[in-house]
Amino acid sequence: MSEKKKLSLTSRIVIGMVAGIILGTIIRYVAGDNAWVSLYLTNGLFDVVGQIFITSLKMLVVPLVFVSLVVGTCSLSDPSKLGRLGGKAVGMYMITTAIAISFAIFSAVLVQPGSGIERSSEASFEANEAPSISEVIINLFPDNPINAMAEGNMLQIIVFALLFGISMALVGKPGERLKGFFDDLNAVIMKLVVILMAVAPYGVFALMAKLFTEIGVEMIGSLAKYFLLVLFVLIAHGLIVYPLFMRVLARVKPGIFLKKMRDAQLFGFSTASSNATMPITLETVTRRLGVSNSVGSFTVPLGATINMDGTAIMQGVATVFIAQVYGLDLGIAEYLMVIMTATLASVGTAGVPGVGLIIGVDRLLDMTRTAVNVTGDAMVSTVVARSEGDFDEEVYYDENAGKKLEEL
Ligand code: ASP
C-alpha cells in the first residue's frame, strides 16, 4: 500500500454519485437532444455500465443468501432458537412498519400536501388483492428449491436453507465435512461482494449520469409539497426513529450505526433496490455492526423481502395526499384501517398503488425510501442479535471492523 492515505470507499462512491448527477444534469440541459450523446453515452456507455453493476449485485443475492444462511444455521448451538428468532424479527419488522406509516399519515394530515392541487384526470385505484394468511404461510415452502432459486423467491430460499442447515447440524460427521465446504463457498462469495463494492463508484456514477439525463427538478412541479413531505418523513424516520431503537433496544451509541450504514445506504439510494443492496447490507451487518452470521444471514434477507418502512411511509403520505386531492374525507377509523392493511400487506406482498398522479417524482423518492428500507433491516438485525446474545459490541465500536477483509 502506498503511503498516501486512500480515500474511503464511502467518499469514492459519493464522488461518483455527485459527478454522475452533475454530468447527467448538464447533458439533460445542454445536449438533451443530441443523437450522438444519447446513443453512445446515455443509452450506451452509462446504461451498459450501470445495468451491469446492478445485475452483478443481484447475481450474488441467491447464492449469497443460501450459502450464508446454511453456514449460519448449521453452526447454531440450538436450532430451536430459530423459531424465537423468526418471531422476534417478523414482530420488529411489523412494529417498525406500523410506526413508519403512522408517522407518515400523521404528518400528511398535518401538512395537507394535497390541498390546492387541481385534479387533472380521474384516478383509477387498483388495489392488489392481498393473499390470505394461509396462502402466505403455505407459499413459504418451496415444492422445488431450484425453482425457488431460479425465481429468486427469497422466503422459499430462506426456508429451504434453514431446513438444510438444521439437517447438517443434526447429521453429525457428514454435516461437519459439508460445513467446511460451505464455509469456503461463503468466503468466496463474500470476496465477490467486496470486489463489486470496489468498483461501485463507477457503477454509481454511470447509474446517476443516465438517470439525471431523464429527470430534473422541474418535474416535481405541483407535487413539491408531497415530494418534500415524503422526503422529510423518510429522513426523520432514518435519523430519529432508528437511532432511538438502537439506543433503547440495542443499547449502543446510534451515531456509529449511522456512520457504518453509509455505504449500504448509498448502494440502496443509487440502485433503488433493497434486493440488489442485500449483499452490502449483509456485509455491513455481520462484519461491521457485530451481528453474528447466524442472525444476520437470516434477518437481512427476510427484512429485504418483508420490511419496507420507506415504502410504507410513501404509501401513508400518498393515501392522505390522494384523498385530499379527490376531496375524500377520511377519518381516524379509515386511517387505522390503512395502517393495519399496509402493515399486514407488507408481510405478504408489497402492493404500492400504481397511481399516475405521483409517478413523476417517484424515482427520486424510490431511491430515498430504499436507503431507509435497508437501514431498517440493519437496525432490526442488530436489535434481534442483541436480544439473543449474538451481538459483538467490540466489533460494533471498532471503527475499522471489517475493513481488513475489504482490501483486495
Ligand atoms: N425500491 C424499494 C426497495 O427495493 C421498494 C419500493 O419502495 O418501491 O426497497
Side-chain angles (χ1 to χ4, degrees):
M1 262 242 289
S2 66
E3 284 297 301
K4 239 178 42 196
K5 199 167 175 286
K6 268 182 31 186
L7 272 179
S8 72
L9 177 68
T10 316
S11 318
R12 284 187 292 131
I13 297 179
V14 171
I15 292 172
M17 177 179 286
V18 173
I21 293 176
I22 293 174
L23 182 63
T25 308
I26 292 177
I27 291 179
R28 176 178 167 81
Y29 295 109
V30 177
D33 40 18
N34 182 315
W36 187 92
V37 170
S38 158
L39 185 65
Y40 292 104
L41 273 186
T42 315
N43 295 305
L45 186 68
F46 297 158
D47 197 28
V48 170
V49 173
Q51 291 302 326
I52 291 180
F53 174 60
I54 291 202
T55 307
S56 324
L57 285 169
K58 290 188 176 161
M59 161 185 90
L60 289 181
V61 169
V62 170
L64 176 66
V65 169
F66 180 68
V67 172
S68 69
L69 196 47
V70 167
V71 170
T73 322
C74 75
S75 46
L76 268 185
S77 47
D78 173 16
S80 67
K81 179 173 160 170
L82 274 171
R84 204 176 54 230
L85 205 75
K88 277 186 192 171
V90 173
M92 278 290 292
Y93 282 140
M94 288 177 77
I95 291 171
T96 51
T97 303
I99 292 176
I101 192 164
S102 311
F103 182 18
I105 289 181
F106 179 76
S107 313
V109 169
L110 213 67
V111 174
Q112 304 257 326
S115 60
I117 293 206
E118 288 290 310
R119 81 178 120 133
S120 49
S121 64
E122 283 304 312
S124 58
F125 295 94
E126 262 184 54
N128 280 354
E129 210 175 306
S132 72
I133 297 279
S134 53
E135 241 177 293
V136 171
I137 295 174
I138 294 170
N139 280 337
L140 290 177
F141 293 82
D143 59 355
N144 179 342
I146 306 293
N147 207 22
M149 290 186 196
E151 285 173 353
N153 185 324
M154 212 39 67
L155 297 180
Q156 294 190 348
I157 298 172
I158 291 175
V159 168
F160 180 62
L162 290 178
L163 295 174
F164 196 91
I166 291 173
S167 313
M168 267 172 70
L170 296 178
V171 74
K173 267 265 167 312
E176 278 165 32
R177 283 197 299 269
L178 211 49
K179 180 170 186 306
F181 170 75
F182 271 97
D183 276 338
D184 290 352
L185 210 51
N186 198 27
V188 173
I189 298 176
M190 278 318 249
K191 191 75 200 173
L192 209 47
V193 174
V194 169
I195 293 172
L196 274 184
M197 287 176 84
V199 298
Y202 305 100
V204 169
F205 168 79
L207 282 175
M208 292 300 109
K210 162 122 170 60
L211 180 66
F212 277 80
T213 59
E214 289 160 7
I215 60 171
V217 274
E218 76 278 3
M219 283 164 81
I220 296 175
S222 63
L223 292 175
K225 231 169 151 188
Y226 163 82
F227 178 82
L228 291 176
L229 182 64
V230 177
L231 207 60
F232 169 80
V233 180
L234 284 172
I235 293 173
H237 193 72
L239 295 184
I240 298 171
V241 178
Y242 289 153
L244 222 63
F245 270 106
M246 287 302 284
R247 159 84 65 196
V248 175
L249 295 179
R251 299 187 303 281
V252 287
K253 289 194 187 131
I256 295 174
F257 171 73
L258 291 178
K259 189 155 177 245
K260 290 192 174 187
M261 280 306 291
R262 273 185 209 154
D263 287 348
Q265 289 169 337
L266 285 170
F267 270 78
F269 185 80
S270 42
T271 61
S273 161
S274 302
N275 209 26
T277 310
M278 201 196 299
I280 321 305
T281 317
L282 187 60
E283 203 255 7
T284 307
V285 164
T286 53
R287 289 182 171 174
R288 297 192 195 172
L289 293 177
V291 172
S292 78
N293 184 47
S294 53
V295 172
S297 60
F298 179 44
T299 53
V300 169
L302 185 67
T305 314
I306 69 167
N307 182 51
M308 305 254 162
D309 294 355
T311 311
I313 286 172
M314 168 258 170
Q315 285 175 327
V317 176
T319 306
V320 179
F321 173 78
I322 290 164
Q324 283 164 3
V325 172
Y326 287 91
L328 307 171
D329 230 348
L330 299 187
I332 295 280
E334 281 85 8
Y335 286 130
L336 282 177
M337 197 64 199
V338 172
I339 293 172
M340 225 176 72
T341 25
T343 306
L344 288 175
S346 71
V347 178
T349 42
V352 186
V355 179
L357 208 57
I358 48 175
I359 227 74
V361 294
D362 199 58
R363 174 65 203 209
L364 275 176
L365 292 178
D366 190 4
M367 294 159 69
T368 316
R369 61 185 189 247
T370 308
V372 172
N373 289 344
V374 302
T375 311
D377 301 340
M379 183 279 286
V380 170
S381 301
T382 315
V383 168
V384 171
R386 172 61 126 185
S387 79
E388 288 286 316
D390 275 309
F391 173 70
D392 189 337
E393 205 165 323
E394 232 169 81
V395 172
Y396 183 86
Y397 284 110
D398 176 3
E399 257 190 56
N400 294 317
K403 287 269 160 65
K404 190 106 200 77
L405 291 154
E406 270 172 31
E407 280 162 20
L408 289 175

